[in-house]
Amino acid sequence: MKYVLAAVNAKYIHSNLAVYDLKAYAGAHGLPVVIREYTVNQPRDQILADLYRQKPDMLAFSCYIWNISLVRDVAAELHKLLPGLPVWVGGPEVSFEAERFLEENPWAAGVMRGEGEQTYLELLGVYEGRGSLADVRGINYREPCGASQDLLHTNADRAPLELDRIPFPYGELTDLNHRIIYYESSRGCPFSCCYCLSSVERHLRFRSLSLVFKELQFFLDGRVPQVKFVDRTFNCRPGHAKAVWQYLAEHDNGVTNFHFEAAADLLDEEMLALIADMRPGLIQLEIGVQSTNPRTLKAIGRAMGFSRMREAAARIKTGGNVHQHLDLIAGLPHEDLESFRRSFNDVYALGPDQLQLGFLKVLKGSRMHRMAEQWGCVYQSREPYEVLCTEWLSYDDVLRLKQVEEMVEVYYNSAQFRHTLPECVRLFPDAFAFFDGLGTFYQEKGYLCLSHTRLRRYEILQEFLACLPEGRERMAEYREWMLFDLYERENLKTRPSWATDLSGYRQTFRDFYGKEAETHICLPDHSDCDARHLAGLTHLEVFHYIYGRDAAVLFSYRNRDPLHHGARWCSVELK
């Protein structure tokens, strides 16, 4: 018998932890399973052809909001080709309306609800000839009845599995250097956020630290670029979090980055001290703020002390060694445009490395799904079930926030305007007003739907600033800040048309590199380079307006900033 697990990921570099867990658990019980991984960007015919060539005896798909339409289409076509093939589905997108899914998708043999390791193992046992579907907990299944309508059965729920019973899922993976690996050391969540499916399953379980350490060492030895913990609130058990962070600090390989979703208001002094001593880039933290409106936080069941969270985030930022990713959700109850503006400005003031402005997704199975009508929440009928409007936020407001989101992604989260943005924001009452105004400018000019080069983004920003009196007056300064940002990111071969002509400095630059090749005072990590190579690996730029005088800055691209990947730079004296 050949059993195939199919995963359709958002990107090639992602790993699907669910299918790897199911494979490892089945394999530990003597049932080999084949994993086939695809991406949502692959042609559907290509996925169909590959699955057909597998000739499986049983096929199961892992289903999420980003892949459910593709899964439905591929499975329906595959059913025409292999009508006798039992096709099962599992995952959050099918677990909460399982019977309805079977009614709408006659190709589906059944649905695995919730946690799948033991359920999948028992299903394989049925196809091996042991037991019947009626005995398998945690499933909905179809009983074909010939000419009459199929019977749909709903079995009892399955109790949560202890995590130590699940084998390490990645032992056979060989291409670790090119993947983002997803890993879990706990399941469940102690909190009750109404928009989140993790709050549905409150049974919080942890993997033994001895196993966690052994598995983390596998990633460290393999020099995996990034490991993302999928633990919903990693630091909800302080002792567990501290032990893991301590292990990573003591066994750091200098390469691997570990990503954690954490509650900043739960970071105690010992945790903050541990974080402060870590190598820059060893860990990054994603912190879900969602809103700073107390009434909104109470309505969604999110317990968060924003003052404590703000203090912890500021402490971490001061250390300069941890990438912080802060999240906001637009479309929550009691949050109108003005309230969201305050939430945005509160979070922006913390200076996160990334500010994600997301939109509420009304997920099946969540409390938000049950409360949507009461809160006047209108949302898309198809995945990703994103909010269209609420009692407090009109669709016009949502469209406006979409423009703000786009501007934040392009001009803030890209880290390509790190020095320019603070200067621009000062022209406006607050940060939200800047991004809102820039988004409106894009919309009015017809720029939103176009693809733009990086240089074009700088030119559009200059167009926008030129509409403001002070922007026109200080344009020479803004252009220098933009030039600074450009060279911090990339050693450009062609200078922008609006950059100052530096042809008069050619001999001065040659003299600097000649002397630097002898002394290596400014570039001690380039001691293996002569003057010509130094000039090729670095860039010298002269600024006037941002320093108030002619001042030279040297950009070095060999050893970049581990948090923002920008060039190292320093001021130098030219003679």
Side-chain angles (χ1 to χ4, degrees):
M1 299 288 279
K2 183 176 184 180
Y3 304 115
V4 174
L5 283 166
V8 183
N9 303 323
K11 296 179 180 179
Y12 165 75
I13 59 173
H14 293 177
S15 64
N16 186 299
L17 178 58
V19 296
Y20 281 97
D21 271 343
L22 267 61
K23 172 182 167 66
Y25 195 77
H29 291 80
L31 292 172
V33 173
V34 174
I35 288 178
R36 303 301 296 169
E37 287 192 273
Y38 314 98
T39 78
V40 293
N41 297 314
Q42 281 183 257
R44 301 188 179 196
D45 287 348
Q46 189 179 96
I47 299 173
L48 173 65
D50 184 72
L51 287 172
Y52 174 80
R53 291 189 182 108
Q54 296 299 314
K55 294 296 190 291
D57 294 292
M58 186 266 217
L59 171 66
F61 283 97
S62 181
C63 302
Y64 305 87
I65 57 175
W66 63 80
N67 71 10
I68 186 62
S69 288
L70 188 151
V71 167
R72 279 175 162 161
D73 290 349
V74 169
E77 300 303 325
L78 189 62
H79 183 66
K80 297 175 185 176
L81 298 169
L82 301 172
L85 171 65
V87 178
W88 286 76
V89 293
E93 183 54 22
V94 297
S95 287
F96 297 99
E97 293 183 353
E99 185 170 338
R100 179 178 174 183
F101 186 88
L102 291 179
E103 291 172 351
E104 295 176 350
N105 299 278
W107 51 263
V111 175
M112 293 179 280
R113 304 191 310 271
E115 204 165 84
E117 289 86 0
Q118 184 65 30
T119 301
Y120 183 64
L121 176 66
E122 293 181 15
L123 275 179
L124 297 187
V126 172
Y127 288 102
E128 289 283 314
R130 301 189 297 272
S132 69
L133 293 177
D135 300 322
V136 180
R137 285 179 170 267
I139 65 169
N140 287 63
Y141 68 96
R142 182 188 308 279
E143 181 183 352
C145 294
S148 59
Q149 186 174 4
D150 294 347
L151 293 177
L152 303 181
H153 299 275
T154 301
N155 290 4
D157 290 336
R158 179 174 297 282
L161 189 68
E162 294 305 314
L163 292 193
D164 284 1
R165 292 179 57 190
I166 303 173
F168 181 57
Y170 296 120
E172 299 178 6
L173 202 60
T174 56
D175 58 340
L176 294 171
N177 289 330
H178 307 289
R179 306 295 293 270
I180 294 175
I181 302 297
Y182 290 85
Y183 177 78
E184 64 181 349
S185 68
S186 68
R187 280 185 189 172
C189 183
F191 302 113
S192 305
C193 304
C194 70
Y195 52 83
C196 181
L197 290 180
S198 296
S199 65
V200 176
E201 207 281 274
R202 300 296 300 279
H203 187 69
L204 185 58
R205 293 150 288 155
F206 290 83
R207 198 162 175 83
S208 295
L209 285 170
S210 58
L211 288 177
V212 173
F213 295 159
K214 180 181 178 181
E215 291 158 4
L216 292 181
Q217 194 59 50
F218 176 85
F219 300 136
L220 291 164
D221 292 343
R223 300 176 76 80
V224 177
Q226 186 176 57
V227 176
K228 283 195 171 186
F229 277 65
V230 298
D231 305 43
R232 301 316 300 167
T233 306
F234 176 73
N235 60 324
C236 64
R237 180 183 282 183
H240 180 85
K242 292 172 189 176
V244 171
W245 284 342
Q246 185 68 53
Y247 186 89
L248 295 179
E250 292 173 355
H251 296 81
D252 179 19
N253 62 10
V255 173
T256 306
N257 165 263
F258 294 87
H259 176 103
F260 301 91
E261 293 186 30
D265 54 322
L266 298 182
L267 293 171
D268 60 27
E269 287 298 320
E270 191 175 350
M271 290 182 193
L272 290 170
L274 265 173
I275 291 170
D277 288 337
M278 290 179 177
R279 165 182 63 86
L282 173 59
I283 72 168
Q284 63 187 50
L285 298 178
E286 181 173 351
I287 297 166
V289 183
Q290 321 312 10
S291 172
T292 63
N293 182 330
R295 191 176 180 192
T296 296
L297 294 174
K298 182 178 180 180
I300 64 177
R302 182 162 184 80
M304 181 193 70
F306 181 66
S307 59
R308 173 59 186 156
M309 180 261 147
R310 179 169 49 198
E311 177 186 344
R315 287 268 300 275
I316 293 169
K317 183 174 177 61
T318 300
N321 63 331
V322 174
H323 184 283
Q324 288 192 90
H325 176 139
L326 303 187
D327 297 336
L328 284 171
I329 297 179
L332 294 173
H334 306 293
E335 185 105 273
D336 59 14
L337 190 62
E338 187 56 35
S339 170
F340 188 84
R341 176 179 185 149
R342 289 192 295 270
S343 292
F344 181 94
N345 288 327
D346 287 341
V347 173
Y348 189 88
L350 299 175
D353 299 288
Q354 189 164 20
L355 197 170
Q356 181 174 321
L357 197 173
F359 290 80
L360 176 67
K361 294 174 177 58
V362 183
L363 302 176
K364 289 176 284 189
S366 68
R367 183 163 63 90
M368 180 64 73
H369 188 265
R370 298 191 298 273
M371 299 289 290
E373 185 174 352
Q374 178 181 329
W375 282 330
C377 182
V378 178
Y379 58 94
Q380 296 168 344
S381 299
R382 292 176 60 86
E383 71 284 350
Y385 315 111
E386 195 169 272
V387 65
L388 295 171
C389 62
T390 71
E391 179 182 330
W392 301 273
L393 204 66
S394 69
Y395 187 53
D396 285 319
D397 294 334
V398 169
L399 291 177
R400 189 170 164 187
L401 291 178
K402 287 283 185 180
Q403 294 172 185
V404 172
E405 177 197 27
E406 176 69 13
M407 296 302 100
V408 170
E409 283 298 311
V410 169
Y411 287 97
Y412 187 86
N413 290 340
S414 68
Q416 294 173 7
F417 300 80
R418 293 177 59 234
H419 300 88
T420 305
L421 277 186
E423 302 301 320
C424 296
V425 169
R426 291 191 183 100
L427 297 175
F428 292 80
D430 53 46
F432 182 89
F434 165 73
F435 290 105
D436 186 31
L438 183 58
T440 299
F441 180 79
Y442 261 73
Q443 192 275 328
E444 292 174 346
K445 290 288 186 177
Y447 294 154
L448 277 178
C449 298
L450 301 178
S451 178
H452 302 286
T453 64
R454 183 187 305 177
L455 281 176
R456 181 61 183 141
R457 295 289 189 185
Y458 285 92
E459 292 168 354
I460 293 173
L461 183 56
Q462 290 177 36
E463 288 180 37
F464 173 62
L465 295 174
C467 296
L468 308 170
E470 190 175 349
R472 289 192 296 272
E473 293 172 6
R474 298 175 56 193
M475 187 57 67
E477 179 186 343
Y478 291 130
R479 284 175 172 165
E480 284 198 348
W481 283 120
M482 293 181 198
L483 197 63
F484 195 110
D485 280 323
L486 275 168
Y487 279 111
E488 187 184 50
R489 296 292 298 184
E490 181 182 353
N491 191 0
L492 297 173
K493 302 306 179 186
T494 304
R495 289 176 68 75
S497 60
W498 39 267
T500 305
D501 181 11
L502 295 182
S503 57
Y505 283 91
R506 286 175 183 166
Q507 187 58 49
T508 305
F509 288 172
R510 290 193 194 100
D511 293 343
F512 169 83
Y513 283 117
K515 183 177 180 180
E516 184 62 23
E518 297 174 358
T519 64
H520 295 288
I521 293 174
C522 299
L523 299 166
D525 55 344
H526 288 65
S527 58
D528 58 328
C529 299
D530 58 21
R532 184 173 63 85
H533 284 103
L534 285 178
L537 294 171
T538 64
H539 175 75
L540 268 171
E541 186 67 37
V542 177
F543 299 99
H544 175 79
Y545 294 97
I546 63 179
Y547 285 96
R549 59 180 177 82
D550 285 350
V553 174
L554 178 66
F555 297 90
S556 172
Y557 303 95
R558 173 172 282 184
N559 296 310
R560 292 175 175 267
D561 172 5
L563 298 190
H564 308 106
H565 308 292
R568 302 285 188 179
W569 59 270
C570 63
S571 297
V572 297
E573 291 294 328
L574 298 179
K575 296 181 181 178

